[in-house]
């Protein structure tokens, strides 16, 4: 066993103590322990395991699960380019190459002096101000060649991040259209006051009357969820705010947490009041870590104001507080049971359901997991009553929806519309022209072609968690689908066979087409994989993974067909390239040392 | 009047990166060989010593694809055979030769030609007459379209016989029960 | 009156809380599985037990039976999906049966026989997974791991040791052992552990016994996995 320097041991023990040596805090402990050396050496994992009384293999299992935890050394400057399709459309690949060239490094490889590493990461939720990157977890948007040059210089000079120009880290809300929620000016506590005045049952009745449905995309009735948790045996009950906003193209929660955090936390308290919960968690995606200090400040203010703690608003027995847990780069943790596993300090693997979290959630206790926007919306219901809320939007989709608009339009940003707004209206408002397709609901959502722009944003027509990515006539929808397939393959937790292997196989087929090796037979195999993923996957990630391919194959099939080089069969790899190593070893370059890539050329 | 006897089906066979064990197993169908030659005639095959494959009904490929020559032969078979069959583990999944796939090619060749005990001043052969090895050994279905697969190391004589009789009789071949083995 | 559901049109009785898989097998109907084990709660990762219940795909091992359900299992559609899942498991690892000690006793291989898998169908991943021979009595050959976590569960829940765990994610997921060196020889693993004898494939192999029973006379050489499983479930 390798020995840790005593200073590292002291820092680790301090972290462990702050987390009361709780195994449920393992992920939080690992995130903080990584701050010490920038990565997690083997001996650090051993030390943490021993201190928590956990098997070391389990700690290694957790450390290996999350993208932002490193068990190999990374650069003192760790640069991650956001790689959503919208970043790609804004030229992130070229900027990444430029930065690597200036720093004399290979993408994905640590520089020899250990100074810097540059690679990509899944969508960072800055699609309205991309291309974006994270440097040691801090978000920088609006990247340009000029900015990249400056960043390269700052890294070369080893300038501490705190001394980088402040405007780099300026993240704009870009709110373009306000309706009920974003127009609300509520003093903290007002909604809670109103709900408490109605009593727990009266408040739940208002929620039932509101017809509020979950804004995470699935659209489950919020009051039903709350009532189930309320009636389930077991305590203390738990309210979780799912701020693991990982769906590519979605950034509304970023804005709500940045500028409307009181509404979100108040929503959690409203849920706690209805359910009788005493413990709250905000699960904040690692990409939004930069919001942590200001969110903690809001929580502190609310505690001081008596809106969190014991006997809230003078109600005996209304005890509720909120802790913020960080994620560390795992899209699958947006699935509620995977999120709960992660909260418990484990790998973010979705659980078998039933039982559902409302009966057996965090540590087996009744747990409500709600989306950020859903919770914020409950303030409107507390203030204005359930019936008034139900009267807005459409019959089956009450209220408004925040859309995160990005891609080919003049004014990307956040737009709040009453449910029922047609796609065409949204396109007009955000200044999109020559629109070829819109991806609604992110990578797992639906790709709409021009003939569908009359359709409406609503659970009964086009449901969405809020992502709205626009592609104009210059875009290739195959590239779009391929980017999403790469995303799912990277984010698959690997638990079930169809998703673990299927997303990788699907990626292989899309790359095969992209690399000019496509054959007609591949389209049939893609179809078959799509169906198996959809049918047999353990959770929504796997069953949604083929969506972008299914939609684009149906609506933009020529984008695939024009990539086929054979109507029969083609190998997935370049046969001539497979001889390159042998050519190099033998120094040969005669005609026998080459293979024609396509069989037709050989005849 | 007797109806003319049906045309014999033309069959070609080859061993790529294999050990000829599958061909040996083919011969293990023993007395069925007499029935078989009534129904088929051989084109290119180690059994006939014909060097180039002509138009055929059935091609049987033993062995995976480990070098440029294998690719040429396999493509030639695919072009000429209406039905192409992967015969045995190596053709089906790369088999034993594919066990080198996790070792870089340079390491393999240097180990054999330069660093092995008893080799002095060895060098990796570069004669243009020799086919160059691919970086990885591939099952044949990763290089051409393959119609049928007979697994086994080698497939047993009875399995090969069952498969061929199905095929010759116009039935979609099936291997199940004791005839299907991977070892 | 006992409750029942219909499996491929045949009535299957069940008790409340019993899963589709348990009830079916008890009644003599075979539903395949790799990660399910009678001594542990359902895992639901291999998906071999996929069935269509009331028109929806579910894992039979993890889904409690429901009165009156119509469940499809032995149909061309579902068996085709099972074959596909088996092919996926074969191409993602390095499954070279002729050199594997477990051949003939391997459940993955036996299921592939059962579902007449003649071809791997997809491109092989050929991953690089070095073996671990550090333990005096047991060899670990990770090339064959199918991530059923039976060893993880057995070591944790029966042996009380937690010798095994999974790390990594997605296609990079892999099995690790409970030692900083990463070597099984540096753990408290013993050949008498339950975890040493639970691997359905050829990852965890007790040394010195590999060919005690010759190929051709092994479990699935003499009986199909279907008949063996049904015999054990009755």
């Amino acid at each position: 066993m390798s020995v840790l320097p005593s200073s590292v041991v002291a820092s680790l023990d301090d972290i462990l103590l702050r987390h009361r040596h709780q195994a449920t805090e393992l992920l939080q402990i690992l995130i903080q322990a990584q701050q010490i050396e920038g990565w997690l050496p083997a001996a650090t994992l051993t030390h943490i395991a021993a201190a928590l009384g956990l098997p070391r293999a389990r700690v290694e299992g957790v450390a290996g699960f999350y993208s932002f935890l490193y068990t190999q050394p990374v650069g003192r400057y760790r640069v991650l380019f956001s790689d959503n399709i919208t970043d790609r459309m804004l030229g992130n690949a070229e900027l990444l190459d430029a930065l690597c060239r200036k720093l004399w490094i290979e993408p994905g490889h640590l520089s020899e002096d250990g100074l810097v590493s540059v690679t990509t990461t899944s969508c960072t939720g800055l699609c309205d101000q991309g291309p974006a990157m994270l440097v040691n977890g801090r978000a920088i948007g609006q990247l340009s060649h000029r900015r990249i040059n400056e960043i390269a210089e700052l890294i070369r000079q080893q300038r501490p991040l705190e001394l980088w120009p402040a405007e780099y880290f300026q993240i704009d809300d870009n709110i373009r259209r306000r309706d009920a929620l974003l127009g609300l000016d509520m003093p903290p506590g007002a909604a809670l006051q109103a709900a408490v005045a109605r009593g727990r049952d009266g408040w739940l009745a208002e929620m039932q009357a509101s017809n509020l449905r979950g804004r995470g995309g699935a659209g489950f009735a919020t009051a039903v969820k709350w009532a189930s948790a309320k009636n389930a045996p077991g305590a203390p009950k738990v309210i979780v705010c799912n701020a693991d906003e990982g769906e590519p193209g979605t950034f509304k929660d970023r804005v709500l947490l940045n500028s409307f955090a009181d509404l979100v936390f108040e929503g959690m308290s409203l849920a706690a009041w209805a359910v009788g919960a005493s413990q709250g968690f905000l699960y904040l995606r690692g990409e939004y870590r930069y919001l942590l200090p200001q969110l903690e400040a809001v929580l502190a203010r609310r505690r001081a104001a008596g809106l969190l703690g014991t006997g809230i608003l003078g109600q005996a027995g209304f005890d509720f507080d909120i802790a913020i847990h960080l994620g560390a780069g795992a899209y699958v943790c947006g699935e509620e049971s995977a999120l709960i596993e992660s909260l418990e300090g484990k790998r973010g693997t979705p659980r078998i359901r039933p039982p559902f979290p409302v009966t057996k959630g965090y540590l087996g206790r009744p747990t409500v997991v709600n989306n950020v926007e859903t919770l914020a919306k409950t303030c409107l219901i507390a203030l204005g009553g359930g019936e008034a809320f139900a009267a807005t939007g459409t019959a089956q989709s009450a209220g408004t929806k925040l859309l995160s608009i990005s891609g080919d339009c003049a004014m990307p940003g956040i737009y709040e519309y009453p449910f029922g707004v047609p796609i065409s209206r949204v396109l007009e408002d955000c200044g999109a022209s020559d629109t070829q397709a819109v991806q609604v609901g992110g990578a797992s959502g639906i790709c709409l072609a021009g003939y569908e722009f009359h359709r409406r944003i609503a659970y009964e027509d086009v449901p969405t968690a809020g992502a709205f990515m626009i592609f104009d006539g210059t875009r290739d929808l195959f590239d779009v689908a391929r980017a999403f397939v790469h995303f799912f393959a990277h984010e698959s937790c690997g638990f079930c066979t169809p998703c673990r292997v299927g997303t990788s196989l699907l990626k292989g087929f899309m790359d095969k087409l992209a690399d000019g090796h496509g054959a007609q037979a591949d389209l049939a195999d893609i179809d078959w994989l799509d169906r198996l993923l959809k049918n047999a996957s353990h959770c929504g990630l796997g069953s949604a993974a083929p969506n972008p391919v299914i939609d684009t194959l149906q609506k933009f099939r020529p984008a695939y067909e024009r990539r086929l080089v054979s109507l029969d069969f083609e190998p997935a790899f370049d046969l001539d390239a497979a001889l390159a190593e042998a050519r190099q070893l033998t120094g040969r370059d005669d005609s026998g040392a080459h293979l024609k890539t396509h069989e037709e050329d050989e005849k | 009047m007797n109806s003319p006897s049906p045309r014999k089906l033309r069959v070609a066979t080859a061993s790529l990166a294999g050990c000829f064990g599958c061909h040996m197993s083919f011969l293990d169908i023993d007395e069925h060989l007499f029935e078989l030659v009534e129904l088929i005639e051989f084109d290119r095959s180690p059994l006939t010593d014909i060097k180039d494959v002509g138009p055929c009904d059935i091609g049987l490929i033993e062995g995976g694809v480990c070098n440029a020559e294998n690719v040429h032969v396999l493509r030639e078979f695919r072009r000429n055979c209406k039905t192409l069959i992967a015969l045995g583990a190596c053709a089906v999944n790369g088999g034993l030769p594919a066990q080198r796939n996790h070792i870089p090619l340079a390491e393999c060749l240097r180990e054999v030609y330069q660093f092995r005990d008893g080799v002095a001043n060895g060098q990796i052969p570069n004669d243009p007459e020799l086919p160059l090895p691919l970086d990885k050994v591939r099952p044949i279905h990763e290089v051409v379209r393959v119609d049928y697969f007979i697994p086994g190391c080698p497939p047993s004589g009875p399995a090969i016989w069952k498969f061929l009789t199905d095929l010759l009789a116009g039935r979609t071949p099936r291997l199940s029960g004791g005839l299907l083995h991977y070892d | 009156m006992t409750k029942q559901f219909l499996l491929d049109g045949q009535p299957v009785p069940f008790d409340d809380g019993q899963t589709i898989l348990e009830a079916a097998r008890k009644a003599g109907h075979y539903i395949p599985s790799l990660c399910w084990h009678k001594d542990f709660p359902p895992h639901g990762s291999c998906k071999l037990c996929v069935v269509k219940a009331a028109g929806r795909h579910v894992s039979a091992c993890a889904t409690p039976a429901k009165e009156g359900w119509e469940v499809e299992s032995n149909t061309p559609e579902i068996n085709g999906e099972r074959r596909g899942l088996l092919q996926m498991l074969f191409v993602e690892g390095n499954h070279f049966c002729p050199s594997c000690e477990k051949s003939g006793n391997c459940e993955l291989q036996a299921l592939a026989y059962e579902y007449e898998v003649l071809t791997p169908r997809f491109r092989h991943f050929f991953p690089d997974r070095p073996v671990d021979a550090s333990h005096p009595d047991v060899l670990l050959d990770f090339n064959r791991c199918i991530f059923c976590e039976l060893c993880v569960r057995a070591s944790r829940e029966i042996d009380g040791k937690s010798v095994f765990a999974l790390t990594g994610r997605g296609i990079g997921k892999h099995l690790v052992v409970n030692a900083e060196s990463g070597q099984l020889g540096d753990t408290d693993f013993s050949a008498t552990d339950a975890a040493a004898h639970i691997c359905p494939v050829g990852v965890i192999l007790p040394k010195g016994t590999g060919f005690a029973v010759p190929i051709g006379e092994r479990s699935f050489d003499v009986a199909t996995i279907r008949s063996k499983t049904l015999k054990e479930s009755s």
Side-chain angles (χ1 to χ4, degrees):
Chain A
M1 246 170 56
S2 41
V3 181
L4 287 169
S6 58
S7 63
V8 172
V9 171
S11 305
L12 280 176
D13 288 345
D14 185 43
I15 293 166
L16 286 157
L17 195 63
R18 278 208 304 276
H19 292 278
R20 305 173 316 283
H21 292 84
Q22 292 283 313
T24 49
E25 298 283 310
L26 176 58
L27 176 57
Q28 308 309 307
I29 291 167
L30 289 171
I31 291 169
Q32 288 177 12
Q34 183 165 269
Q35 304 272 71
I36 301 170
E37 293 176 86
W39 64 292
L40 294 165
T44 297
L45 299 184
T46 307
H47 186 87
I48 291 171
L52 298 179
L54 289 173
R56 188 190 183 281
R58 183 169 147 210
V59 175
E60 187 179 354
V62 173
F65 184 85
Y66 296 91
S67 292
F68 294 166
L69 295 180
Y70 306 97
T71 51
Q72 298 291 324
V74 289
R76 294 198 293 285
Y77 292 89
R78 200 172 61 256
V79 180
L80 298 172
F81 277 82
S82 179
D83 199 25
N84 188 25
I85 182 68
T86 52
D87 295 292
R88 292 189 186 184
M89 283 154 56
L90 293 166
N92 70 337
E94 202 190 314
L95 294 172
L96 186 150
D97 280 345
L99 182 62
C100 287
R101 270 200 314 276
K102 286 190 192 349
L103 294 168
W104 294 92
I105 55 169
E106 294 263 318
H109 293 276
L110 175 61
S111 63
E112 273 175 34
D113 56 2
L115 176 67
V116 57
S117 49
V118 177
T119 185
T120 58
T121 188
S122 298
C123 178
T124 54
L126 294 165
C127 320
D128 55 333
Q129 46 207 298
M133 63 160 61
L134 299 174
V135 184
N136 294 358
R138 295 289 302 277
I140 302 177
Q142 301 180 48
L143 294 174
S144 60
H145 278 286
R146 196 171 66 92
R147 201 164 258 197
I148 288 292
N149 287 345
E150 292 166 5
I151 288 171
E153 197 51 40
L154 290 164
I155 291 174
R156 266 202 298 261
Q157 295 168 359
Q158 309 196 28
R159 186 85 58 90
L161 221 52
E162 303 81 65
L163 302 180
W164 287 24
E167 73 261 23
Y168 284 13
F169 306 108
Q170 170 75 40
I171 303 298
D172 299 324
D173 280 350
N174 288 329
I175 296 171
R176 312 282 189 182
R177 188 180 195 282
R178 292 174 194 267
D179 206 300
L181 184 68
L182 299 182
L184 181 66
D185 184 17
M186 181 191 87
L192 200 54
Q193 203 91 34
V196 166
R198 289 187 174 100
R200 291 183 195 263
D201 291 336
W203 164 228
L204 191 54
E206 286 301 325
M207 278 295 294
Q208 268 148 357
S210 75
N211 290 332
L212 175 68
R213 295 170 69 177
R215 262 46 174 174
F220 195 78
T222 307
V224 173
K225 213 182 229 186
W226 289 11
S228 306
K230 176 179 195 265
N231 298 328
K237 293 177 182 175
V238 183
I239 306 295
V240 178
C241 173
N242 181 349
D244 193 45
E245 185 179 49
E247 189 65 54
T250 316
F251 46 89
K252 65 181 177 67
D253 296 347
R254 181 198 87 210
V255 173
L256 288 174
L257 294 168
N258 186 45
S259 299
F260 301 85
D262 263 307
L263 294 185
V264 179
F265 290 134
E266 187 128 343
M268 291 180 71
S269 303
L270 288 167
W273 174 243
V275 169
S278 56
Q279 195 170 8
F281 291 105
L282 180 105
Y283 187 93
L284 184 67
R285 74 184 301 225
E287 289 82 346
Y288 293 170
R289 185 181 181 156
Y290 61 90
L291 294 171
L292 187 60
Q294 66 190 69
L295 290 171
E296 292 285 11
V298 175
L299 284 178
R301 249 192 348 258
R302 293 182 69 84
R303 282 186 199 107
L307 298 172
L308 289 171
T310 51
I312 294 168
L313 295 177
Q315 296 292 310
F318 186 13
D319 308 332
F320 181 67
D321 210 329
I322 298 170
I324 301 177
H325 267 228
L326 276 171
Y331 164 74
V332 71
C333 290
E335 196 278 345
E336 59 177 5
S337 67
L339 187 152
I340 289 169
E341 287 282 299
S342 184
L343 275 180
E344 292 181 2
K346 300 177 186 161
R347 295 164 59 82
T349 303
R351 294 176 178 174
I352 290 171
R353 302 184 307 164
F356 291 94
V358 283
T359 54
K360 281 193 175 11
Y362 179 71
L363 301 178
R365 293 156 16 191
T367 302
V368 167
V369 182
N370 279 147
N371 180 268
V372 172
E373 184 184 349
T374 312
L375 288 165
K377 291 269 161 70
T378 62
C379 294
L380 293 173
I381 297 161
L383 291 171
E387 273 182 35
F389 186 88
T392 57
T394 71
Q396 288 170 61
S397 311
T400 63
K401 184 77 196 86
L402 301 192
L403 298 181
S404 314
I405 297 186
S406 64
D408 295 314
C409 65
M411 289 160 292
I414 295 294
Y415 291 70
E416 184 183 12
Y417 286 104
F419 268 117
V421 64
I423 305 290
S424 52
R425 162 81 196 279
V426 178
L427 288 171
E428 198 181 308
D429 289 356
C430 69
S433 56
D434 184 29
T435 303
Q436 181 182 193
V438 182
Q439 182 78 19
V440 183
S444 65
I446 175 173
C447 182
L448 298 173
Y451 58 82
E452 296 168 286
F453 291 170
H454 65 280
R455 294 180 63 182
R456 291 163 189 278
I457 299 289
Y459 296 106
E460 60 270 36
D461 191 354
V462 182
T464 174
F468 194 102
M469 288 177 275
I470 302 166
F471 306 102
D472 72 16
T474 66
R475 306 297 176 182
D476 185 333
L477 269 299
F478 172 84
D479 289 336
V480 175
R482 179 165 167 255
F484 292 149
V485 167
H486 279 217
F487 167 77
F488 284 117
H490 181 257
E491 296 296 343
S492 168
C493 80
F495 174 73
C496 72
T497 310
C499 180
R500 181 181 68 247
V501 189
T503 53
S504 265
L505 286 172
L506 197 54
K507 175 175 175 234
F509 279 113
M510 296 298 275
D511 289 351
K512 184 178 187 226
L513 263 67
D515 293 344
H517 299 295
Q520 192 76 46
D522 298 328
L523 298 187
D525 276 330
I526 288 173
D527 258 344
W528 186 88
L529 273 175
D530 285 348
R531 258 195 318 249
L532 188 67
L533 271 164
K534 199 151 253 325
N535 288 340
S537 293
H538 176 66
C539 80
L541 190 155
S543 57
N547 284 355
V549 181
I550 292 172
D551 280 353
T552 50
L553 255 178
Q554 188 202 337
K555 299 170 189 176
F556 300 94
R557 197 175 180 88
Y560 289 75
E561 287 167 339
R562 74 169 69 113
R563 287 184 158 79
L564 304 184
V565 293
S566 161
L567 296 182
D568 180 24
F569 178 93
E570 274 292 311
F573 58 99
D574 188 318
L575 281 158
D576 191 53
L579 292 177
E581 198 178 353
R583 275 196 297 271
Q584 197 212 332
L585 289 164
T586 57
R588 282 177 53 188
D589 198 26
D590 54 282
S591 65
H594 286 277
L595 279 167
K596 294 280 195 298
T597 302
H598 306 308
E599 206 185 341
E600 285 76 12
D601 307 341
E602 240 190 28
K603 280 183 201 164
Chain B
M1 236 172 75
N2 289 338
S3 58
S5 60
R7 178 181 72 87
K8 282 188 174 179
L9 295 178
R10 212 167 160 78
V11 176
T13 77
S15 180
L16 308 179
C19 67
F20 284 91
C22 298
H23 275 80
M24 297 305 291
S25 200
F26 187 14
L27 298 178
D28 279 344
I29 65 175
D30 296 337
E31 69 274 16
H32 291 309
L33 279 170
F34 295 109
E35 295 168 54
L36 194 62
V37 292
E38 295 300 315
L39 301 167
I40 68 164
E41 58 190 6
F42 281 103
D43 191 88
R44 170 182 168 154
S45 168
L47 309 172
T48 60
D49 225 21
I50 298 172
K51 300 295 185 203
D52 292 302
V53 61
C56 283
D57 297 289
I58 296 169
L60 288 162
I61 298 284
E62 172 192 339
V65 185
C66 83
N67 63 30
E69 189 206 11
N70 293 160
V71 175
H72 290 302
V73 172
L74 182 59
R75 283 175 163 177
E76 208 186 337
F77 265 69
R78 180 66 277 182
R79 274 199 299 273
N80 283 287
C81 301
K82 291 180 197 163
T83 300
L84 190 68
I85 302 172
L87 177 65
C90 302
V92 170
N93 60 28
L96 181 70
Q99 303 306 297
R100 78 152 156 94
N101 282 357
H102 66 277
I103 305 167
L105 183 63
E107 219 174 286
C108 286
L109 293 180
R110 291 201 178 111
E111 176 69 25
V112 172
Y113 292 108
Q114 290 180 311
F115 304 139
R116 202 165 45 154
D117 284 347
V119 174
N121 302 322
Q123 61 164 11
I124 297 167
N126 59 0
D127 189 328
E129 290 291 302
L130 295 173
L132 283 185
L134 299 167
D135 56 353
K136 280 185 167 44
V137 178
R138 304 283 182 166
I140 67 168
H141 76 272
E142 297 190 18
V143 179
V144 299
R145 181 171 51 76
V146 177
D147 301 301
Y148 298 102
F149 300 79
I150 310 179
C153 184
S156 67
I160 297 174
W161 177 242
K162 163 74 165 62
F163 208 92
L164 288 179
T165 46
D166 275 352
L167 204 61
L168 296 172
R171 296 186 293 267
T172 301
R174 267 187 78 182
L175 288 180
S176 55
L179 292 178
L180 177 53
H181 274 282
Y182 296 163
D183 50 18
Chain C
M1 219 183 81
T2 51
K3 295 179 174 175
Q4 61 176 41
F5 65 93
L6 290 178
L7 179 69
D8 295 324
Q10 307 215 44
V12 174
F14 70 94
D15 302 324
D16 273 333
Q18 213 171 17
T19 61
I20 296 173
L21 181 126
E22 287 169 308
R25 285 189 181 177
K26 190 144 183 272
H29 303 281
Y30 181 62
I31 294 177
S33 67
L34 276 170
C35 68
W36 185 85
H37 191 287
K38 61 177 172 41
D39 295 343
F40 304 106
H43 195 243
S45 65
C46 75
K47 298 292 166 192
L48 262 295
C49 71
V50 66
V51 294
K52 225 164 154 178
R56 226 172 48 109
H57 282 74
V58 297
S59 301
C61 75
T63 308
K66 264 197 194 143
E67 171 85 44
W69 253 0
E70 290 188 30
V71 177
E72 295 171 36
S73 174
N74 189 19
T75 66
E77 181 196 3
I78 298 294
N79 287 341
E81 290 175 348
R82 289 175 181 149
R83 201 172 295 122
L85 292 167
L86 290 166
Q87 289 165 322
M88 286 179 167
L89 289 171
F90 271 94
V91 299
E92 78 162 325
N94 296 308
H95 296 276
F96 179 49
C97 298
S99 81
C100 179
E101 281 182 23
K102 200 65 179 272
S103 192
N105 292 321
C106 168
E107 293 184 23
L108 176 66
Q109 185 192 57
L111 274 177
Y113 293 168
E114 180 67 32
Y115 288 92
E116 297 182 23
V117 176
L118 300 183
T119 162
R121 176 169 184 172
F122 301 109
R123 75 185 167 89
H124 287 72
F125 289 48
F126 294 124
D128 185 14
R129 299 186 191 161
V131 301
D132 177 353
S134 61
H135 194 279
D137 305 318
V138 179
L139 174 79
L140 290 184
D141 189 336
F142 299 107
N143 288 292
R144 302 148 184 170
C145 186
I146 56 167
F147 312 108
C148 66
E149 291 189 62
L150 277 170
C151 59
V152 177
R153 293 180 273 164
S155 184
R156 184 178 60 220
E157 283 153 44
I158 301 178
D159 305 327
K161 290 185 179 177
S162 292
V163 169
F164 299 101
L166 290 174
T167 190
R169 190 170 86 193
I171 201 69
K173 190 168 79 163
H174 58 280
L175 194 62
V176 288
V177 300
N178 194 31
E180 191 178 306
S181 65
Q183 300 282 301
L184 188 66
D186 291 334
T187 70
D188 54 355
F189 192 61
S190 151
T192 56
D193 286 358
H197 305 279
I198 205 162
C199 182
V201 294
V203 179
I204 305 174
L205 299 166
K207 290 180 180 174
T209 61
F211 291 92
V213 180
I215 282 182
E217 295 171 22
R218 299 180 171 186
S219 316
F220 303 117
D221 292 328
V222 295
T224 63
I225 191 166
R226 172 188 295 266
S227 59
K228 188 165 177 278
T229 306
L230 287 178
K231 206 164 137 195
E232 285 163 6
S233 323
S234 60

